[in-house]
Amino acid sequence: MVEAALLEGGWLDALRRLGAATAVGAIIGLDRELHGKPLGLRTLTVVSIASCALTVAAVRYDLALGDESHETVGRAIQGLMAGIGFLGGGVILHTREDRVHGLTTAALVWLTAALGVVCGLAAWPIVAIALLLALVMLVIGGPLERLLARHPP
């Protein structure tokens, strides 16, 4: 039943799933932000959006092919995302002033890889919604992070 819903869900299902992933990432990121941790609102939201988009797309693809094992696509995506993690890690810098820079960039590298996979699977609702939500977070995330930094708990 759940698998059939994934395959036939369309835009509303994708919006629900990606919207929930955005909310979860933002809530966790907000918590980290309020506690002064190096991972923040934008970074964790982008990671959550990417993970959801990739997962839903992979399941839909396997179901469309009738492959209930999810083995082939799962391995391909696992390898890609592990490899892209090393690339993203290369943009993270730790300064002498105990500041960490580049986490959002690393997450965006990962999101871009995930969206590339989703585009390759032609899961267009997931692509459009994930891209839109990430762009919105990047626009409002910075000002929101700065506002939170000025008013700590």
Side-chain angles (χ1 to χ4, degrees), residues 102-133:
L103 291 172
T104 302
T105 302
L108 288 171
V109 169
W110 198 58
L111 175 65
T112 303
L115 287 174
V117 170
V118 177
C119 287
L121 297 173
W124 306 123
I126 297 166
V127 173
I129 295 166
L131 181 59
L132 176 64
L133 292 171

Side-chain angles (χ1 to χ4, degrees), residues 45-59:
T45 301
V46 168
V47 167
S48 185
I49 293 168
S51 298
C52 181
L54 190 60
T55 301
V56 172
V59 171

Side-chain angles (χ1 to χ4, degrees), residues 11-36:
W11 286 88
L12 186 56
D13 182 60
L15 179 60
R16 185 179 317 116
R17 291 168 192 276
L18 288 161
T22 301
V24 167
I27 289 167
I28 294 168
L30 181 60
D31 175 73
R32 299 293 73 209
E33 199 71 43
L34 290 172
H35 291 92

